[in-house]
Amino acid sequence: MLIKKMFRDICKNLSQFITIFLMVMIGVMAYSGIKAYMDGMSKTSETFYTENNLFDLNLIGANFTTDDLKDIKEIDNVKDAERKLYLTGVTDNNKTLLMSFIESNNICKFYVVDGEAFDANKSGVWLDEFYAKENDIHVGDEILVKYESMELHEKVLGLINVPDHLYDTRDESELYPDRKEFGFAYLSANEITRDYVIDLAKNSQDMAGLDESIIFNIITEDNYKDYIIFNYVMVDVDDVDKVNEVKEEIEDKIESAVAIVKAEDTASYVTYQGEIDEGKTYVGVFSGLFLFIAMLSVITTMTRVVKNQRTQIGTLKALGFSNAKILMHYIGYGFWISLVAAVVGLVLGYFGIGNVFIGLEMAFFEIPNGAPAMNSGSYAVAIGVVLAVVLISYITCRSILKENPAETLRNKIPNVKGKSLNITTKGLFKKLSFSSKWNIRDIVRNKMRTFMALAGVVGCCMLIVCALGMLDSMNFFVDLQFSTLYNFDYKLNLKEGLSSSDVKAITDKYGDATSQSLGIEIKNDNGEKEANNIFVTDAKDYVRFVNRKNKIIDKPEDNGVFVTQKLAETKGYKLGDTITWHIYGDDKYYTSQIIGFNKDPQNQNVTMTRAYLESLGIEYKPNAIYTNMNLSETKEIKNIETIQDIESLKEGMTGMLSMMKTMLVLIIGIAVLLGAIIIYNLGILSYTEKQYQFATLKVLGFKDSQIKNIFVKQNNWIAILSIIIGLPLGFYLTDWLFKTAIEEHYDFGASITVQTYIIAAIGTFVVSYLVSKFLARKIKNIDMVTSLKANE
C-alpha cells in the first residue's frame, strides 16, 4: 500500500521530483565529469611516462664522447644512458622540425601510432604524428630534411608520440604549438652525413688550422661516425628518490655537461602537469559550486515535500503504522530519486563531460590513449549526495513523528513574529504599493526559502561571469603579449655557435635590435638551486615592459635586474634584494640587485640589459634579432634557424582559445540549465506555499493579473539582488582561479569586459523572469475552495 502511495505522490508532485532528479544528476555529473577528465589526464600521463620510459635527467653539452657516456653509466644509481644529437632543421617547404639523431631507443621510447618500431640500422625517419596529420604525410612517403650542409631524403618509417614531446613550441614567444609548421623527427645516428661531420670538424678547436685535405684524410668514410658530436644525454635513474644525488655527481664528474635538467623541469612536462593542477582547482570550484547549489535546492525541496505530507503522516500514525515504517516510506521518496539521479549523473559525467574535455586536451597535448578515469572519489561524492537527501528526509519526517496523531492531522500553524513584520508599517515602507508590502512580509516570513533562492541564482550568475570572464582575460593577455610587449613584426632566431662576424653580417642587414636568453640556476639562502633563465635585452623598443597594472615602463637600468612580478611574489623578493646565480656551464656565481619588477604573462624570469651583462665580464652573444622589415616572401636566411612572424604567433593562439570556448560553453550551458531548474523549483515551492494566500486574495477581489504581478515581482527582486551580488563575486572567482590555478610560469589575472557583465546580468534575469511568468500561469487555475479548506 505504501509503495502505491509513494508512486501516487510522486506522480501528483511530478514537477518537484523531476527537479530533484535533475539537480542531483547535474551536480553529480558536473563533479564526476570534470574529475574524471582530470584524473584521466593524470593516469594517461603516468602510464605513458612509465611504459615509454621518460628520462629522469637530460644532460646538455657541446659534445658527449663515448668515454663520457661510459662514465655516466658507471655512476651509482644510473640505470641507463643514451646520447642524442639534437638539431633544428627545416623541410623542403620551409617547415621547422626538431631533429633527434639517436643510437638506441630504450629511453623515451617511441609510441608507434603507425609504421614500425625504431631500428638503428634502418634508413628513414620516425615523424611526429600530429605534424604528419596536419601536413597529410603518411608512412611510406618521402620527405626532405636539411640542416646546414646536411640534406636527407628520408622515407617515413613510422608516425610516433614520444614522452618528452607532449608539448613543443619553438621558443617562449609561442603560447600554443603550431603543429602545421613545427614538429619533431627522429632518425638513426647512422643517417648523419660525413660532409656534415667534416664541416663541424673544420670549426673545432682540435682541427683548427689544418688544411681541408688533411681533415678529409683524418675523417674517412669508415671512421667519420666516431667524430659525430652528440649534444644531449638522456639518463634513466634506478631510484627516482636519488635523482638529485645523481645530478650532483654528474656535475662533479662529467665536464661536458653544461646543464642538467630534471624531467619535471622540462617545458613539455611542466605544461602538461600545469594543466592537471589547474584542473584540480576547477574540480573544487566549478563542480563544487554546481554540487553546492544543487544540494541547497534539493534539501529545501525535500524538506517542503515531507512537510506537505504532514496530515498524511498523521493519518498513517492514526491507522497504526509504526514510526519506523513511516520513516522508511518517506526516506524512500528521496532515496530512490537521488540514487537513480546519481547513477545517471556518474554515467553522463564520464561519457559526456569527461570524454568531451579529455578529447579536447588530447588534441592539445601529444599523448596517446587519453581517456577519462573514474575513481572512488566520484563514487563517494555520489553516495554522499544520496545520503544527504536521505538524512534531510529522515530529520524532517522524524520531527513530525514526534508529535501525537491529533496534532499531525492538523496543518502546522506558522510561527510568525508580529514585530518582524511591522517593517512594512514604518517609514518609507508605508508608501509602498500593496504588492511590494506583501512581498516584503513574505520574504521576511520565509527567510530560508529566500536565502536558498538567492544562493542558487548568485551561484549560477557567478559561474556565467567566471566562464565568460576567463575567455575575456585570455583574449586580453594575448593582446598584451603580442601587441604591447612585442613591438616587432618578425623575430629571427640565430643558430648556435655563430661567430661575431656572422652575427654582424645579419644585424647589418636586418637591424641591431637583439636579445640573448641564458639558462641559469638561482641559489637561494639555503643553498638550494632552481632552474630559470635571464632575458638580456638590447632590443631597443622592439621588446617592451609593463608593470602590474599593464602600463608600459622603461627597461632596466644598467646597474641591476628586473624580476617578473609573479616570480617575486612566489619567492618573496623585495625591491633592493639580491639574487645569486650562475650560467649553465660556468661555475662562477654572480650577485645582482633587484632594481624593479615587470609583468610577463607567460615567462617568469630575470631581465637585464646588455650593458649590465657586459659589466659583469660576460660576453654578450645574441640569439634573437627583432625587425619590422617585410619578410613575408623570405623563406630562409643564412645562419637563421627560424623566422617567426608575429601574426602567425597570434594565430597560433586561436587553437587554445577555441578549446577553451568549447569547455566554457559547456560550463555556461550547465550553469544556465541548473539556474533555470533551481529558479523553477523554488518558484514551485513558493507558489505551493502561497496558494492559500493567493486564494484569499482572489476572494477579496484581486484579479489574476494583479496576483501574478505580486508573484513575479518577488522573483524579480531576488534575481536582481542575486545579480548585484553575483557579478562582483564572479570577478573575484575568476581572478582567484587565474592567480592560484594557472600554472606558475603564467601570470594572468581577471580582465572582464563590460559586455560580459551585461550578458551575465541579462541572461540571469531573463531566465528568472521567464520561469516566473511560466509558473504565474498556474494562478488562474487555483481551486479556491480546496486551498482555503485545507487550512481549516
Side-chain angles (χ1 to χ4, degrees):
M1 184 182 84
L2 291 180
I3 294 175
K4 289 180 180 179
K5 176 183 176 298
M6 183 172 68
F7 281 113
R8 187 173 62 249
D9 288 339
I10 289 174
C11 291
K12 186 178 178 182
N13 300 281
L14 190 60
S15 59
Q16 292 187 44
F17 282 103
I18 287 176
T19 56
I20 291 173
F21 177 87
L22 289 174
M23 284 186 290
V24 171
M25 184 197 75
I26 291 172
V28 172
M29 179 182 71
Y31 181 87
S32 63
I34 297 176
K35 186 159 180 57
Y37 139 64
M38 294 318 310
D39 290 341
M41 283 192 67
S42 184
K43 185 177 179 180
T44 298
S45 64
E46 288 173 10
T47 302
F48 188 42
Y49 289 152
T50 302
E51 292 183 353
N52 295 78
N53 197 22
L54 175 68
F55 62 73
D56 295 300
L57 294 171
N58 199 25
L59 279 57
I60 307 169
N63 182 22
F64 292 102
T65 64
T66 52
D67 289 337
D68 289 330
L69 186 65
K70 181 182 177 182
D71 291 341
I72 293 168
K73 288 183 176 180
E74 290 176 352
I75 292 174
D76 289 342
N77 205 40
V78 170
K79 185 177 181 180
D80 196 6
E82 293 181 359
R83 293 188 299 175
K84 177 169 68 173
L85 173 59
Y86 192 67
L87 304 171
T88 303
V90 293
T91 65
D92 54 343
N93 49 3
N94 293 297
K95 298 180 187 294
T96 306
L97 281 179
L98 298 176
M99 299 162 58
S100 295
F101 295 88
I102 57 177
E103 300 170 292
S104 57
N105 188 225
N106 297 317
I107 301 175
C108 286
K109 292 188 288 187
F110 301 164
Y111 177 88
V112 182
V113 179
D114 189 19
E116 57 188 86
F118 177 77
D119 186 343
N121 297 316
K122 283 202 170 183
S123 178
V125 61
W126 284 264
L127 193 60
D128 171 2
E129 183 226 350
F130 276 34
Y131 172 84
K133 186 177 179 180
E134 287 290 329
N135 290 280
D136 197 28
I137 300 173
H138 307 280
V139 172
D141 292 350
E142 187 175 282
I143 64 170
L144 169 64
V145 185
K146 52 188 177 179
Y147 178 81
E148 294 184 349
S149 62
M150 182 164 51
E151 290 194 5
L152 303 173
H153 293 269
E154 301 286 349
K155 180 182 177 181
V156 178
L157 298 178
L159 304 180
I160 59 172
N161 301 139
V162 187
D164 60 334
H165 287 281
L166 268 62
Y167 180 91
D168 284 323
T169 58
R170 275 177 278 209
D171 62 16
E172 70 279 356
S173 303
E174 289 187 342
L175 286 175
Y176 185 82
D178 185 351
R179 309 288 190 187
K180 190 172 182 64
E181 299 295 325
F182 182 71
F184 62 84
Y186 277 76
L187 304 93
S188 168
N190 294 329
E191 295 301 288
I192 299 172
T193 63
R194 181 190 176 204
D195 290 341
Y196 171 72
V197 175
I198 289 174
D199 283 345
L200 289 179
K202 291 177 186 176
N203 299 316
S204 68
Q205 292 182 354
D206 295 338
M207 298 189 183
L210 292 180
D211 188 81
E212 188 171 319
S213 60
I214 297 175
I215 295 175
F216 266 90
N217 290 330
I218 295 173
I219 303 175
T220 67
E221 194 67 42
D222 294 327
N223 70 3
Y224 81 89
K225 291 177 183 176
D226 296 333
Y227 292 89
I228 294 174
I229 291 176
F230 292 91
N231 52 7
Y232 280 76
V233 173
M234 298 179 292
V235 178
D236 187 16
V237 174
D238 267 321
D239 185 355
V240 293
D241 294 330
K242 295 181 179 179
V243 166
N244 287 328
E245 295 176 18
V246 174
K247 180 175 180 287
E248 290 173 3
E249 194 166 351
I250 292 174
E251 287 175 339
D252 293 337
K253 293 183 177 180
I254 310 300
E255 293 183 2
S256 302
V258 175
I260 304 174
V261 182
K262 293 191 288 187
E264 56 264 33
D265 292 329
T266 60
S268 173
Y269 187 99
V270 165
T271 305
Y272 188 88
Q273 190 60 42
E275 195 74 10
I276 294 173
D277 293 338
E278 291 169 27
K280 289 177 180 177
T281 305
Y282 297 153
V283 169
V285 175
F286 283 118
S287 56
L289 268 174
F290 281 128
L291 209 53
F292 174 71
I293 294 166
M295 285 310 300
L296 277 179
S297 297
V298 168
I299 289 169
T300 305
T301 306
M302 280 308 304
T303 302
R304 299 297 183 189
V305 166
V306 175
K307 283 186 175 181
N308 286 340
Q309 292 272 316
R310 175 186 175 82
T311 55
Q312 295 187 39
I313 292 172
T315 303
L316 291 173
K317 286 184 71 175
L319 291 173
F321 283 88
S322 67
N323 285 353
K325 200 158 189 176
I326 296 172
L327 269 174
M328 293 305 296
H329 170 65
Y330 282 98
I331 285 173
Y333 282 66
F335 174 75
W336 293 111
I337 292 291
S338 58
L339 178 64
V340 174
V343 171
V344 173
L346 287 172
V347 172
L348 291 179
Y350 181 89
F351 291 103
I353 295 176
N355 264 331
V356 170
F357 278 22
I358 206 165
L360 292 168
E361 290 287 4
M362 293 306 101
F364 184 64
F365 291 102
E366 201 154 340
I367 183 168
N369 302 323
M374 192 77 76
N375 65 13
S376 57
S378 295
Y379 297 118
V381 167
I383 292 169
V385 169
V386 174
L387 291 178
V389 176
V390 167
L391 181 62
I392 199 65
S393 303
Y394 169 79
I395 292 171
T396 306
C397 189
R398 190 168 177 272
S399 66
I400 298 174
L401 286 171
K402 286 181 179 180
E403 303 175 19
N404 61 53
E407 290 176 336
T408 53
L409 285 169
R410 297 176 179 273
N411 279 331
K412 189 174 180 65
I413 299 172
N415 182 21
V416 179
K417 295 180 181 179
K419 289 184 179 180
S420 67
L421 300 180
N422 287 340
I423 187 172
T424 57
T425 64
K426 298 176 181 178
L428 293 174
F429 291 105
K430 290 192 297 184
K431 299 179 181 179
L432 294 176
S433 65
F434 172 80
S435 62
S436 297
K437 289 180 181 179
W438 191 93
N439 277 320
I440 291 171
R441 292 169 69 89
D442 186 66
I443 288 170
V444 173
R445 183 183 291 121
N446 297 281
K447 298 183 184 69
M448 183 53 67
R449 187 189 70 217
T450 304
F451 171 75
M452 294 295 185
L454 272 172
V457 181
V458 165
C460 295
C461 184
M462 281 175 61
L463 287 169
I464 294 171
V465 171
C466 184
L468 291 174
M470 289 178 74
L471 195 58
D472 284 343
S473 301
M474 286 299 297
N475 282 320
F476 173 81
F477 282 100
V478 169
D479 186 64
L480 175 69
Q481 185 76 64
F482 295 110
S483 297
T484 303
L485 296 179
Y486 293 166
N487 190 34
F488 55 84
D489 292 333
Y490 290 90
K491 179 182 179 183
L492 311 179
N493 296 299
L494 279 67
K495 291 181 178 177
E496 292 183 12
L498 295 182
S499 65
S500 56
S501 59
D502 288 334
V503 174
K504 186 176 185 304
I506 298 171
T507 54
D508 285 346
K509 185 172 183 179
Y510 298 102
D512 60 353
T514 61
S515 70
Q516 180 182 9
S517 293
L518 293 170
I520 65 166
E521 280 188 323
I522 298 176
K523 184 166 66 174
N524 61 25
D525 295 337
N526 298 323
E528 296 175 349
K529 302 172 186 176
E530 292 186 0
N532 207 298
N533 66 84
I534 289 178
F535 178 74
V536 185
T537 179
D538 192 30
K540 302 179 175 55
D541 193 42
Y542 286 86
V543 178
R544 299 184 291 209
F545 302 89
V546 297
N547 59 18
R548 175 56 84 192
K549 296 181 179 179
N550 305 312
K551 304 296 182 184
I552 295 176
I553 58 175
D554 292 333
K555 68 178 182 180
E557 299 291 334
D558 299 334
N559 60 346
V561 299
F562 272 6
V563 173
T564 52
Q565 293 276 359
K566 189 165 184 178
L567 180 63
E569 291 167 4
T570 304
K571 303 302 178 185
Y573 296 142
K574 301 289 189 298
L575 196 65
D577 287 353
T578 58
I579 58 169
T580 302
W581 55 276
H582 81 98
I583 301 170
Y584 278 124
D586 185 353
D587 294 333
K588 183 178 180 180
Y589 277 88
Y590 302 89
T591 299
S592 300
Q593 185 177 34
I594 298 173
I595 59 173
F597 302 103
N598 65 293
K599 179 177 179 178
D600 192 322
Q602 60 173 325
N603 191 24
Q604 306 316 307
N605 63 355
V606 179
T607 297
M608 65 175 62
T609 62
R610 172 182 179 174
Y612 179 67
L613 180 78
E614 292 176 334
S615 74
L616 298 175
I618 304 171
E619 183 182 359
Y620 176 71
K621 297 179 180 179
N623 50 26
I625 295 175
Y626 307 93
T627 181
N628 286 331
M629 294 177 63
N630 184 2
L631 302 178
S632 58
E633 301 300 322
T634 304
K635 302 300 181 183
E636 191 174 353
I637 300 174
K638 183 181 178 182
N639 292 325
I640 296 297
E641 198 162 80
T642 56
I643 303 171
Q644 291 179 289
D645 176 3
I646 194 69
E647 290 303 320
S648 65
L649 293 178
K650 284 183 185 180
E651 289 170 7
M653 283 300 299
T654 57
M656 187 164 73
L657 292 176
S658 176
M659 182 187 73
M660 280 190 65
K661 283 177 184 176
T662 304
M663 291 183 173
L664 297 177
V665 164
L666 188 55
I667 290 171
I668 292 168
I670 295 173
V672 170
L673 179 61
L674 187 61
I677 293 169
I678 288 171
I679 292 167
Y680 179 77
N681 178 57
L682 292 170
I684 288 176
L685 290 177
S686 176
Y687 169 79
T688 303
E689 291 174 352
K690 295 172 185 173
Q691 279 193 71
Y692 174 71
Q693 293 97 316
F694 289 159
T696 304
L697 291 175
K698 292 182 85 169
V699 169
L700 292 174
F702 281 80
K703 297 178 181 179
D704 286 347
S705 59
Q706 292 174 303
I707 300 173
K708 287 179 182 178
N709 179 57
I710 293 172
F711 179 73
V712 172
K713 180 182 282 189
Q714 183 178 137
N715 290 338
N716 287 346
W717 287 358
I718 292 172
I720 291 169
L721 182 58
S722 300
I723 290 167
I724 292 170
I725 298 170
L727 293 181
L729 288 181
F731 171 85
Y732 289 117
L733 175 62
T734 308
D735 198 52
W736 180 81
L737 278 173
F738 272 120
K739 289 179 179 177
T740 59
I742 295 295
E743 193 266 314
E744 64 178 15
H745 287 279
Y746 297 108
D747 186 5
F748 296 159
S751 181
I752 303 176
T753 63
V754 175
Q755 184 181 3
T756 288
Y757 289 120
I758 293 172
I759 291 171
I762 293 175
T764 303
F765 183 81
V766 167
V767 170
S768 175
Y769 180 77
L770 291 176
V771 171
S772 299
K773 291 292 284 185
F774 176 77
L775 288 171
R777 297 189 305 171
K778 291 177 174 285
I779 290 171
K780 67 180 180 180
N781 298 321
I782 291 177
D783 185 340
M784 289 188 289
V785 175
T786 303
S787 299
L788 293 171
K789 290 286 287 183
N791 286 274
E792 289 182 357

